[in-house]
Amino acid sequence: MKQLLTNATLLTFAGPDGPRAGAAAGALGLIRRGAVLMDEGRIVAVGPADQVLKHPDARKGRIHDAGGRVAMPGFVDAHTHPVFAEPRLKDFELRARGKTYLEIAAAGGGIVSSLNGVRGTSERDLTALLQERAARFLACGTTTIEAKSGYGLDKDSELKSLRALKHLAAGGAIGVVPTFLGAHAVPPEYQGRPGEYLRFMAREVLPAVAAEGLARYADVFVERGYFGTAEAGEFLRAAKGAGLGVRVHAEQISHSGGARLAAELGACCADHLDHADDEDLGALKAAGTMACLVPGSNHFLGLGEMPPARRIIDAGVPVALATDFNPGTCPCWNMQEILAIAVTRMKMTPEEALVAGTVNGAWAVGLGKTHGALAAGMAADLAVFDCTDYRELCYWFGKNLAATVFKAGKVAHAATDLRL
Ligand code: NIG
Ligand code: FE
């Protein structure tokens, strides 16, 4: 069905064909009194309302008057870990009592404490959990998520996690870019043998992931106590050989070489980057590897330090922002909250934060040509927010402003009190 959204304060993110850095990193492509005509899941026309309304199909479908509200591409959340069973409230409370993430992990909490939940949950139940979580992302204006496995850490449970993501994607409610993160942590069966574990993952699990088309990317947590660059590199090379793209959890807790490895392998992006130095940033820039920053995890872990967004932007590396939604370090699915943290704690401008959560998010998951901006031919994934100044999206923190969300040209979510 055709749908026309009109009378919107439209952020199109029109701009160069590629991730935005430098001056383009804050360019919104703002159109006041803008309109978007959608049909068959795609955008047919976008521009000033008086021009779009001249299109012969403009009045043939449903018309939504945005009343001057902000409308923009749905957020593309480029880093999430949604395939888990239970929240980790024990870790949460231990942190409040002064323990650190690594101390809690060393004492049996952390990532491996989520294993039993996933191993003991059926594919069907994991899918149902994912569907519930996807509805929450959508309700906050996110229309595509990159989603990682990584809480199964054995062959069956990693495949089960990725198959659950495939079922979620097939439902079409939200876009899903699946990532194989069997290299999230060393499971108890391989304790002290990270290299052997990753060789097992490469030999036994990766071929099945590739054969079933279950993942577009492979990821590794390169960190003290998790995986070193040698075994991570070996695994990621195997993943590339199997046709997967590469992304890396890099420099999150200590300077561990993940960023340099990401650049060396031509990774799509390196994520976290809290401890990246200038040489790392130079290597990322030279390799065309993006930075995906997840300051919600710093916030939730109660860390004083934030990822060095300004230094990364000044180095000319394009930045995406993501939630890092997961039960350990960031149980938050709302990109508006992440934008607020990015502006207040990392000193990104609201314009940079908006670009990072949409168009750069799309490039960070390989979808930049079709998602993350509003142009004829691109996916009709849009969110309308209950505000008329785009800066409000980073300002009313803790409040979800999403009013109406379109996924593939259909209304996928409408706030009951704000129907357009
Ligand atoms: O991105 N760093 C590794 N992975 C997650 C944490 C996952 C967890 O603690 O469950 C992150 O912060
Ligand atoms: Fe993560």
Side-chain angles (χ1 to χ4, degrees):
M1 179 175 128
K2 295 177 183 32
Q3 314 243 18
L4 177 79
L5 175 71
T6 187
N7 194 20
T9 300
L10 211 56
L11 311 186
T12 65
F13 302 104
D17 185 28
R20 310 292 162 77
L28 302 177
L30 178 87
I31 302 176
R32 293 199 193 279
R33 294 188 53 79
V36 184
L37 178 62
M38 307 168 240
D39 192 19
E40 306 274 335
R42 305 258 140 219
I43 294 172
V44 176
V46 55
D50 50 2
Q51 283 176 28
V52 174
L53 280 163
K54 287 185 191 141
H55 191 283
D57 290 342
R59 292 178 199 275
K60 289 195 178 149
R62 191 164 155 204
I63 299 177
H64 308 259
D65 187 329
R69 293 186 179 89
V70 171
M72 56 176 232
F75 290 115
V76 179
D77 187 342
H79 182 141
T80 82
H81 303 251
V83 199
F84 61 89
E86 304 285 345
R88 293 219 304 274
L89 299 168
K90 199 168 146 200
D91 293 15
F92 177 54
E93 190 175 345
L94 283 171
R95 270 198 307 279
R97 295 183 188 282
K99 297 273 184 246
T100 67
Y101 184 78
L102 289 183
E103 283 165 356
I104 293 166
I111 295 165
V112 293
S113 67
S114 289
L115 291 199
N116 290 339
V118 166
R119 290 181 181 181
T121 303
S122 68
E123 189 171 312
R124 177 192 285 254
D125 288 350
L126 279 179
T127 305
L129 278 170
L130 284 171
Q131 286 161 342
E132 278 170 30
R133 288 171 189 158
R136 295 184 190 269
F137 278 89
L138 261 180
C140 293
T142 296
T143 45
T144 299
I145 56 171
E146 182 266 5
K148 305 172 199 291
S149 66
Y151 292 112
L153 308 187
D154 63 20
K155 181 172 182 179
D156 290 348
S157 309
E158 282 299 304
L159 292 176
K160 177 174 68 179
S161 300
L162 290 169
R163 287 181 189 130
L165 285 170
K166 192 170 183 171
H167 301 315
L168 173 69
I174 197 163
V176 180
V177 177
T179 292
F180 174 38
L181 181 57
H184 199 188
V186 183
E189 299 84 350
Y190 282 87
Q191 209 185 0
R193 296 177 291 145
E196 218 177 298
Y197 171 64
L198 285 195
R199 280 191 287 281
F200 160 76
M201 278 280 135
R203 192 179 62 239
E204 300 289 333
V205 190
L206 187 59
V209 170
E212 267 187 63
L214 290 174
R216 221 173 290 167
Y217 293 96
D219 193 346
V220 179
F221 186 18
V222 175
E223 187 57 69
R224 196 158 33 106
Y226 292 81
F227 300 101
T229 49
E231 60 243 16
E234 193 186 319
F235 173 76
L236 290 172
R237 280 188 190 89
K240 272 180 93 168
L244 274 65
V246 168
R247 41 209 318 121
V248 181
H249 276 74
E251 327 300 356
Q252 179 182 3
I253 303 171
S254 63
H255 189 248
S256 306
R260 221 72 66 83
L261 178 68
E264 198 181 303
L265 295 175
C268 178
C269 63
D271 300 38
H272 287 278
L273 296 176
D274 297 57
H275 298 274
D277 63 22
D278 290 346
E279 273 180 53
D280 294 330
L281 299 182
L284 294 176
K285 166 114 168 75
T289 296
M290 294 181 71
C292 180
L293 303 184
V294 291
S297 61
N298 300 57
H299 172 71
F300 189 70
L301 290 176
L303 305 179
E305 294 290 311
M306 282 278 151
R310 287 260 52 100
R311 203 153 48 79
I312 297 172
I313 292 171
D314 291 348
V317 178
V319 168
L321 279 171
T323 58
D324 195 12
F325 175 68
N326 76 77
T329 66
C330 193
C332 171
W333 49 72
N334 186 352
M335 282 290 283
Q336 299 160 63
E337 185 74 37
I338 303 304
L339 266 56
I341 296 171
V343 173
T344 55
R345 301 290 316 280
M346 299 200 298
K347 309 300 176 202
M348 289 175 73
T349 65
E351 292 82 359
E352 287 167 342
L354 285 157
V355 166
T358 53
V359 60
N360 275 5
W363 285 105
V365 299
L367 293 179
K369 289 203 181 290
T370 50
H371 294 70
L374 304 180
M378 292 183 83
D381 289 2
L382 272 89
V384 185
F385 295 96
D386 190 26
C387 58
T388 52
D389 184 320
Y390 61 81
R391 290 172 298 184
E392 292 180 75
L393 275 170
C394 319
Y395 174 83
W396 300 108
F397 78 97
K399 170 92 174 88
N400 174 18
L401 294 176
T404 299
V405 182
F406 297 87
K407 176 66 194 168
K410 295 199 179 90
V411 176
H413 172 80
T416 43
D417 53 335
L418 288 166
R419 232 177 267 287
L420 299 184

